Amino acid sequence: MNFQIIPRSLWRQQTRFYSYKPVKRVSLPPANKLPQNADTAGGNLSLTNDLKSRIRATGPIPVATYMKQVLTNPSAGYYMTSGDVLGSKGDFITSPEIGQIFGEMIAAWCVNEWSKFGRPVPFQLIELGPGKGTMMRDVLRVFDQLKVSSHGMAVQMVEMSEHLSAVQAEVLCRSSTEYTDKPYYRFGVTANGTKIYWYRQLEDVPEGFAVVLAHEFFDALPVHKFVKQDNAWKEVLIDIEPQKEDRFRFIVSKSETPMLRLFLNNYTDLLEDRTHFEISFEAESIVRQIGARFSANGGFGLVVDYGHLGDKRDTFRAFKNHKLHDPLLEPGSADLTADVDFSLLNRFCEDTAQIVTIGPTSQRAFLEAAGAQERLNVLMSNGGLSEGEKQRLADGFRMLTDPEQMGERFKFFGLYPKELESFVRRKL
């Protein structure tokens, strides 16, 4: 299956609250909702006070520091303590939640690419930031049907949130066990016998041929923000609002910060015609880890996210109840995100000298090439579905592929070992 390079003129402004219009998933029952943290308000207040204390002690903090604390603070972070943050009842909904076809096409692509490598075994199926586990459930169902799961495959879930890992285990496993004395902190087995392990970070996952999936993972990684003022680049920081002690505000650094110096030392060639830049150094680190795995053991990867080719500016924002929300208000109560700059992600890959990339291509083009329309036709011919269920299937498919909805806003980006560059380039 080939990717296509999408011309810059086709990239559209993305608004998450529009892309994530709730659509009921009809093919599989939803996971049981875990109870919301009873002390959510207290947790938000605690996080707010922690951030204020840090700012008072050390001065204004980078946006990346704020974003990381808001999302992953162990006691009050959005992903660490919140209830059902994903889905129509949460703050946003993702493509796998809209319909099973999305995950099934990802699985078909993985099997196709794995076969091109000679179907090496054993191998690691790694997902970064697995959400509710819905996409992995659909992927594993296809793998089971095609007998891929029986070929020495282990599923490795990289998930910082123990709360979300419990949700994922409930969706995927017949049983699971928590551990404190192993590299993984949770282990489970699916109904068909596939072993699944949970890790807090990618570097803890065992070595081996790797199939790496990252769906809406990179958009949640902390970003540093830089702006050009008076012909000089400065870092955007977060401070306490002087007149309102219960609020935060954005300010611009008065002097050069360490991350600004790192940025200017390595990426000045990307700054032409720009006055605003967002960069995730954590994303760079993860790309380097993936490159090292590919170089040592082989593998390939797929990044799926919303983003741009370097033509957007300020994309840092928050979402709550499917609507835009002030990112500096009630930290910990809403999801924080920033569009993925695929031109920068490609630069990270190039700098490793271990990864060659394909794309990005649009979600619509990928799903069409994978046979999503044919799969929809099969599902629609199921005599056991009501007219209402068929309508929801059609509505979900339209949302995934319509250029005015998710079809063009979401991108697919392939990663391969550098040694395969001549082969990969022939696919473009």
Side-chain angles (χ1 to χ4, degrees):
M1 183 184 310
N2 294 346
F3 283 99
Q4 297 174 332
I5 297 297
I6 302 300
R8 186 183 296 265
S9 60
L10 293 182
W11 288 73
R12 301 176 183 270
Q13 186 74 15
Q14 194 275 337
T15 51
R16 193 172 189 181
F17 64 89
Y18 180 75
S19 293
Y20 285 152
K21 174 184 174 184
V23 176
K24 183 177 180 181
R25 182 182 174 88
V26 303
S27 301
L28 292 171
N32 291 335
K33 180 178 177 180
L34 293 189
Q36 181 97 13
N37 186 346
D39 192 28
T40 299
N44 294 339
L45 179 60
S46 173
L47 180 57
T48 298
N49 290 335
D50 286 348
L51 290 166
K52 288 180 180 178
S53 297
R54 177 178 297 206
I55 292 172
R56 292 189 181 106
T58 63
I61 59 176
V63 172
T65 300
Y66 176 85
M67 189 173 179
K68 186 170 185 177
Q69 282 297 305
V70 168
L71 295 180
T72 62
N73 180 280
S75 61
Y78 177 77
Y79 286 119
M80 310 300 279
T81 61
S82 295
D84 201 359
V85 300
L86 302 173
S88 60
K89 295 182 180 180
D91 293 321
F92 60 93
I93 189 169
T94 62
S95 295
E97 306 299 325
I98 291 175
Q100 69 187 69
I101 291 176
F102 183 86
E104 290 175 347
M105 296 304 101
I106 298 286
W109 180 85
C110 289
V111 174
N112 185 58
E113 300 304 296
W114 178 60
S115 297
K116 292 176 182 178
F117 280 85
R119 302 172 74 89
V121 291
F123 72 97
Q124 317 275 1
L125 177 59
I126 304 172
E127 184 173 6
L128 307 179
K132 291 173 66 174
T134 308
M135 187 178 81
M136 182 58 71
R137 175 173 59 183
D138 293 337
V139 168
L140 290 181
R141 186 176 62 256
V142 174
F143 276 25
D144 288 340
Q145 292 172 349
L146 298 178
K147 309 300 181 184
V148 175
S149 304
S150 61
H151 287 279
M153 180 189 75
V155 177
Q156 317 287 7
M157 309 282 264
V158 179
E159 176 60 72
M160 290 184 61
S161 170
E162 292 188 13
H163 160 74
L164 283 176
S165 77
V167 175
Q168 296 153 14
E170 186 176 3
V171 169
L172 296 169
C173 301
R174 65 188 181 206
S175 64
S176 69
T177 305
E178 297 181 53
Y179 292 92
T180 58
D181 59 343
K182 300 180 183 296
Y184 50 90
Y185 66 89
R186 183 183 294 275
F187 168 76
V189 180
T190 70
N192 289 322
T194 300
K195 297 179 179 179
I196 304 181
Y197 303 83
W198 277 264
Y199 301 83
R200 289 185 175 84
Q201 51 193 10
L202 179 58
E203 51 261 47
D204 292 336
V205 176
E207 296 294 321
F209 187 93
V211 179
V212 181
L213 301 176
H215 175 259
E216 290 202 47
F217 170 76
F218 283 94
D219 69 273
L221 295 180
V223 294
H224 288 265
K225 292 171 64 68
F226 305 103
V227 295
K228 191 175 184 180
Q229 291 187 351
D230 301 326
N231 207 35
W233 281 93
K234 300 178 181 180
E235 183 167 6
V236 177
L237 304 173
I238 293 177
D239 196 6
I240 302 171
E241 181 69 51
Q243 305 304 321
K244 297 180 181 179
E245 282 291 304
D246 60 335
R247 296 292 301 271
F248 296 98
R249 63 170 180 166
F250 293 107
I251 65 169
V252 176
S253 59
K254 296 180 180 179
S255 58
E256 185 177 89
T257 64
M259 301 314 291
L260 176 59
R261 172 45 47 197
L262 177 63
F263 169 68
L264 293 176
N265 283 345
N266 293 281
Y267 299 103
T268 53
D269 59 307
L270 298 178
L271 298 181
E272 185 178 357
D273 299 326
R274 289 203 190 191
T275 58
H276 193 287
F277 206 100
E278 296 171 331
I279 182 171
S280 171
F281 293 107
E282 284 196 24
E284 181 182 26
S285 174
I286 289 170
V287 166
R288 290 188 178 280
Q289 292 178 52
I290 293 173
R293 284 179 177 273
F294 287 176
S295 179
N297 304 289
F300 59 91
L302 184 65
V303 175
V304 185
D305 230 310
Y306 52 88
H308 57 95
L309 286 176
D311 52 352
K312 285 191 179 182
R313 300 299 181 257
D314 182 5
T315 72
F316 175 66
R317 58 205 187 281
F319 287 89
K320 186 174 184 178
N321 297 324
H322 302 273
K323 296 179 181 180
L324 283 169
H325 180 78
D326 184 344
L328 301 186
L329 181 65
E330 299 175 348
S333 69
D335 179 40
L336 300 183
T337 182
D339 286 12
V340 176
D341 183 342
F342 281 100
S343 66
L344 185 58
L345 193 62
N346 186 66
R347 169 65 174 271
F348 293 159
C349 293
E350 289 179 346
D351 287 349
T352 68
Q354 297 171 319
I355 298 176
V356 61
T357 64
I358 300 182
T361 191
S362 70
Q363 179 166 292
R364 173 187 59 80
F366 180 94
L367 293 177
E368 286 180 354
Q373 181 64 60
E374 291 80 0
R375 177 56 176 158
L376 176 65
N377 295 341
V378 171
L379 293 173
M380 295 288 280
S381 65
N382 184 347
L385 294 181
S386 68
E387 289 304 313
E389 289 172 329
K390 290 182 179 180
Q391 186 60 53
R392 285 192 291 271
L393 273 174
D395 289 344
F397 182 81
R398 187 179 304 111
M399 173 159 286
L400 291 173
T401 58
D402 190 327
E404 297 300 324
Q405 299 189 54
M406 298 172 107
E408 293 292 336
R409 294 185 175 95
F410 285 76
K411 313 298 177 184
F412 284 62
F413 191 59
L415 313 179
Y416 295 84
K418 184 71 172 179
E419 290 79 4
L420 298 181
E421 183 169 15
S422 60
F423 169 76
V424 169
R425 294 306 178 198
R426 288 200 301 269
K427 298 174 66 175
L428 296 178

